[in-house]
Amino acid sequence: NRHIARAYLAASDPEISKRTWQDAMEAHVRTKKGECRHRWETAIKDPAFDLLRKVLIFETQPDLFLRVLDKGTVATNVFLRRLHNFAVDLGWLPWPVIPKRQWPAVRFGEKRAIRLDEHLSILAAERNPERRAFYELCWHLGGSQGDIAHLSGEDVDWEQGVISYRRQKTSTVAMLHIGDELAAILR
């Protein structure tokens, strides 16, 4: 059946018998812009994808995908799904390699904030005073590095002793009282 399908598909897409997963990765990256493109450029360098790069898309077997997923990380699972869907959507794969319900679940690790001892260890290792102050701001304001990097003078109300900013990820407003320790860092 595979040979019959290949003959029919080759009539409409002569590249089907030559296209590899590396070709799909590069094509998918070209559809992206900015940060999203950068994420994809980084993702396709994943060593787990080395098992897949030179394999013809049309000849991919599910056990190969499962080996890639076993070798990879959570990100491998996420990006392989997207790459697979890209190939299916473009008609480069006539049917899914792994049906949607059969993909292993994406299981993210536990997320937590850093502890005080970890923060102090980072500060002790940092020799750049500007970066050290930046890390202190992140710690005291509880913001992500991106949130704190986007702070401006308008975000600080010295008369009221308040600093406020909009969190980029959630769009919620963080409003904090400026204590003595934080005031020393800000000045």
Side-chain angles (χ1 to χ4, degrees):
N1 288 340
R2 187 176 297 273
H3 294 297
I4 293 169
R6 180 181 295 150
Y8 280 109
L9 290 168
S12 63
D13 181 4
E15 295 296 311
I16 197 136
S17 61
K18 301 179 210 167
R19 194 174 291 118
T20 65
W21 283 102
Q22 182 65 41
D23 297 327
M25 291 177 205
E26 291 167 4
H28 199 46
V29 166
R30 286 192 303 270
T31 69
K32 305 300 178 189
K33 291 183 180 8
E35 283 299 313
C36 189
R37 183 179 186 125
H38 177 69
R39 272 192 302 278
W40 268 96
E41 288 169 341
T42 302
I44 66 173
K45 293 176 187 172
D46 183 342
F49 288 141
D50 292 346
L51 297 170
L52 191 63
R53 292 182 198 289
K54 296 179 182 175
V55 174
L56 295 174
I57 293 173
F58 186 77
E59 295 181 357
T60 307
Q61 296 293 314
D63 64 321
L64 177 60
F65 268 24
L66 295 176
R67 285 199 328 263
V68 170
L69 293 169
D70 283 343
K71 185 178 177 185
T73 63
V74 172
T76 308
N77 188 330
V78 170
F79 284 96
L80 183 58
R81 282 174 193 253
R82 292 176 184 172
L83 184 62
H84 173 265
N85 292 339
F86 178 75
V88 170
D89 290 348
L90 289 181
W92 293 353
L93 261 174
W95 49 79
V97 173
I98 299 178
K100 196 176 207 173
R101 292 186 338 253
Q102 300 305 317
W103 277 88
V106 175
R107 301 204 192 286
F108 294 98
E110 180 183 337
K111 292 181 173 69
R112 65 172 184 82
I114 66 170
R115 298 183 313 264
L116 177 59
D117 63 314
E118 294 168 323
H119 170 68
L120 294 174
S121 174
I122 291 167
L123 291 179
E126 184 54 60
R127 300 291 171 235
N128 180 328
E130 187 174 308
R131 187 169 291 144
R132 183 183 167 94
F134 175 73
Y135 292 153
E136 286 276 28
L137 275 177
C138 289
W139 176 260
H140 287 287
L141 298 177
S144 70
Q145 290 184 18
D147 290 340
I148 304 308
H150 285 94
L151 284 177
S152 68
E154 291 79 39
D155 297 323
V156 180
D157 181 344
W158 289 107
E159 289 179 20
Q160 298 294 318
V162 172
I163 188 166
S164 62
Y165 61 94
R166 184 169 301 279
R167 295 184 190 274
Q168 293 178 336
K169 190 169 187 175
T170 62
S171 292
T172 58
V173 174
M175 189 175 291
L176 302 134
H177 174 73
I178 300 172
D180 294 337
E181 199 174 333
L182 181 56
I185 295 166
L186 290 171
R187 291 182 190 199

